[in-house]
Amino acid sequence: MSRVLVGVKRVIDYAVKIRVKPDKSGVVTDGVKHSMNPFDEIAVEEAVRMKEKKLAKEVIAVSCGPAQAQETLRTALAMGADRAIHVEVAGAEYETLQPIHVAKILAKISQDEKADLVIVGKQAIDDDSNQTAQMTAALLDWPQGTFASKVEKSDAGLTVTREIDGGLEVIKTKVPAVLSADLRLNEPRYATLPNIMKAKKKPMKKVSAKDLGVDLAPRIKVISVEDPPVRQAGSVVPDVDTLVAKLKEGGHV
Amino acid sequence: MIRQFSQILLISLEKHIFINNLKYSTSALPRFSSEKYSIKRKNFGSLHDADLNYFRSLLSADRVITEESDVLPFNIDWIKNCRGQSKVVLKPKTTEEVSQILSYCNSKKLAVCPQGGNTGLVGGSVPVFDEIILHLGLMNKIISLDEISGALVCEAGCILENLDNHVREHNLIMPLDLGAKGSCHIGGNISTNAGGLRLLRYGNLHGSVLGIEAVKADGTIIDCLRTLKKDNTGYHLKHLFIGSEGTLGVVTKVAVHCPALPKAVTLGFFGVNCFENVLELYKSAKSSLGEILSAFEMADNGAISSTVENLKLSNPLGDFPFYVLIESSGSDEGHDNEKLNRFLTKEMETGHIIDGTVTSEPAKMRNIWNIRESIAGAGLVDGYVFKYDVSIPLQNYYDIVLLLRKRLGNKATRVYGYGHVGDGNIHINVTTPEYTKEVYEMLEPYIFEEVAKVRGSISAEHGVGFRKPQFIHYSKDETALHLMHGLKHFMDPNGILNPYKVLPD
Ligand SMILES: Cc1cc2nc3c(=O)[nH]c(=O)nc-3n(C[C@H](O)[C@H](O)[C@H](O)COP(=O)(O)OP(=O)(O)OC[C@H]3O[C@@H](n4cnc5c(N)ncnc54)[C@H](O)[C@@H]3O)c2cc1C
Ligand SMILES: Cc1cc2nc3c(=O)[nH]c(=O)nc-3n(C[C@H](O)[C@H](O)[C@H](O)COP(=O)(O)OP(=O)(O)OC[C@H]3O[C@@H](n4cnc5c(N)ncnc54)[C@H](O)[C@@H]3O)c2cc1C
């Protein structure tokens, strides 16, 4: 294995309170702090560890998005990626960018760069689609190891432990392959100062979807974005009997 | 799924709070303070059924807590050191109720212990004998916020973190922040003149508190609740209630000046080789970062190890003798980053910084602050913590930790120092499997003598409370103490407010 490609998405930081736009067309992103999708951080970390273990020679980070996506790529470079590819998608096109587009972009770059492994986060914490890894694998016709919580080198390729409902599943796969990172795969490092400085000098290439021959026409239309229902206020009951009565009333016991 | 992810992180963030909540079930109760420290009860009245009936008629019955197990948590302080023997907790909802309670107690000479969030670290918030606990938690209403001047008016029982969240919605922040923010009350903060993590930037509460409403021991309501920055009409009475730890009156409402919410915040966490370099870094940060420097905190290796080992938090850096946390807050990210980059590049070159990480991402900043804020609670996991909070001139700042390590040898599990270097304030924690008189006597008064030698303060921000009146003379001379006694007598002639606290006999 020589080259690992990781997809990194710029999303609203998870410590920030999300606000729905008054016209319900989406959420407010202007002036809101963004950072790398936490699952993508895990993907980068895994790729960098593979490089440190000499299982990989080069790690390439790819991000599709507006100019600020370069900040996210710099973070990936500071964590240890070797170079970055910024696929510029801005304005209205970015607002309707969907997993199918990103998967096509990642598939095309994987072929162009002769990647042996693609790692992405299992999902992005903004749109929660959980589709990019699967679609990328399908487009490339490569095997996939999704929801990975452990990745080890084995003779023929990789042994991947997957988080599935009710337990773990261990699979073996050949490379090239596509993996998606689950929460327990690793604990991503903080970018250290010397590496943040070095990252500023690492190469970053900018391309457009058109250069890659990917059509960004939306396949899905967002009709409305709504706030989750507000949790109802609790009430204090005077004693256990009332509590039990209430629970029975609500059909909870 | 977003929720699931952040929940998992939150679980690890909140472990320390969780540990605190478990304290009653996992370990033996602390001994009664009166026995542990051989205190004699003063000549106050004792509580009778008639008194309870009066309180029940004044407040509703559910705001007069008498069930022993319900009263217990109010009798024990946060570090499980002090334990009082109160039989009743009163929970007023209005200033008038506080006034009526005090007026009644004063006439019957019943002693009262005002209590906020009970996070105080010097035993001031819990009774020593059977003082009535006056808990302000139900006085938690926000009254007004002036977005132009930044004046927030609220009741004393508001939790600091709730206030901070509220004012942030209006692009303001509270002028103070501390590890206990999720539990402590603004009234408790004012009564202890709490310092905390933003003091370097916004100064102490004597500057930020605009007005106070308080109730004197005899029930008189003192209304100094103005929202003016400037008011030179006569004596500055509000200052009497800032830092007097519930001995001069009960704070019921406050007006606080909230500064503008900084638009650009960056946090760095650095590994440093020796204490001299921590000081060099501080000097350089002040001159290079200037007005954007908003926090400069340090922790030694032992302090960070205690959070890593006891709370399983992860340290973003490798092993270093000292760690420094530097925060910048400003209004323009571009401008701030330029300054920061120049500063960091220079300090990496000088070697004052060996390694570090810098981030502007809110979630990462929260995780890094959490490491710093968790130090206060991490030591409890070792069993018992002797906590000291002193101000020392910077050139002597860290010496005391080294002296104590040598003095205690293997009698202590850990001896570590951390704190607000920018304010000359160091916290020293000594952990042991359990409280022992032997260690106590090796620490006190030794530590206070050492602090007095360099004209430091034996209590920088936690106050005097129950634990330090006998040592206050190390920092206050006789004439000052005489004046304090005179003021106390004038404000509270029967001495019912928080007896056995602050003033030496
Ligand atoms: C041109 C001009 C501009 C001014 N601008 C401002 C301004 O911008 N802001 C502002 O707040 N004020 C301003 N002032 C008024 C201000 O109060 C005084 O200038 C200054 O603070 C008083 O200092 P002083 O030493 O002159 O005191 P004095 O005028 O001598 O005394 C003022 C009061 O303090 C008492 N006093 C003085 N020294 C002591 C001491 N050591 N111990 C105890 N009591 C003492 C005196 O008994 C008196 O009651 C201005 C005055 C002038 C003339
Ligand atoms: C994890 C942790 C971190 C901390 N960090 C800091 C820090 O960085 N800086 C710092 O300065 N302190 C710090 N502290 C201690 C700090 O003094 C308290 O957290 C806080 O200021 C006290 O508020 P409280 O509401 O809990 O008051 P309590 O503990 O309930 O009371 C403290 C004192 O104030 C009195 N009091 C409380 N409310 C009133 C009232 N309304 N009227 C009159 N008297 C009242 C009590 O009688 C008592 O004497 C920390 C504590 C913890 C547990």
Side-chain angles (χ1 to χ4, degrees), chain A residues 13-17 19 33 35 38-39 41 122-123 125 128 183-184 187 190-194 196-197 200, chain B residues 1-2 5-6 8-9 169 270 314 316 333 341 345 348 355-358 360-364 366-367:
Chain A
D13 188 274
Y14 76 80
V16 170
K17 201 167 153 203
R19 283 169 212 278
K33 283 278 182 187
S35 54
F39 291 105
E41 277 191 321
K122 71 164 175 176
Q123 66 195 115
I125 62 166
D128 271 351
L183 187 62
R184 287 166 195 80
E187 192 185 336
Y190 286 77
T192 63
L193 214 44
I196 294 171
M197 308 273 183
K200 292 184 182 156
Chain B
M1 195 45 64
I2 305 176
F5 184 83
S6 23
I8 289 167
L9 286 157
E169 298 277 320
F270 308 106
S314 57
E333 197 168 326
N341 283 338
T345 310
M348 291 287 287
D355 199 359
T357 182
V358 183
S360 302
E361 296 176 13
K364 287 215 174 71
R366 192 172 75 185
N367 291 349

Side-chain angles (χ1 to χ4, degrees), chain B residues 254-373:
Chain B
V254 307
V256 182
H257 175 255
C258 301
L261 178 71
K263 290 200 192 76
V265 180
T266 301
L267 187 62
F269 188 65
F270 308 106
V272 179
N273 259 350
C274 59
F275 186 70
E276 287 67 44
N277 287 353
V278 172
L279 290 185
E280 287 300 324
L281 203 53
Y282 176 51
K283 220 163 75 188
S284 163
K286 276 198 296 185
S287 71
S288 312
L289 300 178
E291 78 289 352
I292 64 167
L293 178 64
S294 57
F296 192 104
E297 300 278 314
M298 81 102 200
D300 66 10
N301 186 287
I304 296 298
S305 310
S306 78
T307 67
V308 171
E309 288 159 22
N310 289 349
L311 304 179
K312 310 287 174 254
L313 294 182
S314 57
N315 174 2
L317 304 179
D319 220 23
F320 291 96
F322 291 91
Y323 298 88
V324 165
L325 187 151
I326 298 177
E327 186 191 69
S328 73
S329 310
S331 54
D332 180 335
E333 197 168 326
H335 164 266
D336 296 359
N337 281 346
E338 226 171 87
K339 277 186 166 183
L340 264 170
N341 283 338
R342 261 198 311 266
F343 165 69
L344 294 175
T345 310
K346 184 178 91 193
E347 294 307 336
M348 291 287 287
E349 274 163 17
T350 57
H352 296 144
I353 293 175
I354 304 297
D355 199 359
T357 182
V358 183
T359 180
S360 302
E361 296 176 13
K364 287 215 174 71
M365 291 197 288
R366 192 172 75 185
N367 291 349
I368 294 175
W369 265 124
N370 185 49
I371 297 169
R372 162 65 187 86
E373 292 177 28

Side-chain angles (χ1 to χ4, degrees), chain B residues 3 14 17 78 107 110 140 256 380 453 495:
Chain B
R3 227 167 294 131
E14 279 160 11
I17 295 166
W78 192 85
S107 68
L110 292 167
N140 57 4
V256 182
L380 288 171
K453 272 189 209 161

Side-chain angles (χ1 to χ4, degrees), chain B residues 16 78 113-121 123-126 136 156-157 176-181 183-197 241 244-247 249-252 372-373 376-377 389 420 425 427 460-463 465 498 501-502:
Chain B
H16 65 291
W78 192 85
C113 174
Q115 188 177 92
N118 196 12
T119 67
L121 297 173
S125 52
V126 293
L136 287 120
L176 79 164
D177 182 22
L178 43 113
K181 61 175 166 281
S183 310
C184 64
H185 296 178
I186 189 69
N189 298 146
I190 287 174
S191 302
T192 56
N193 186 24
L197 308 164
F241 302 101
S244 53
E245 302 180 62
T247 60
V250 174
V251 177
T252 47
R372 162 65 187 86
E373 292 177 28
D389 155 47
H420 318 293
N425 174 198
H427 297 310
E461 58 174 16
H462 295 162
N498 230 1
K501 317 279 171 67
V502 183

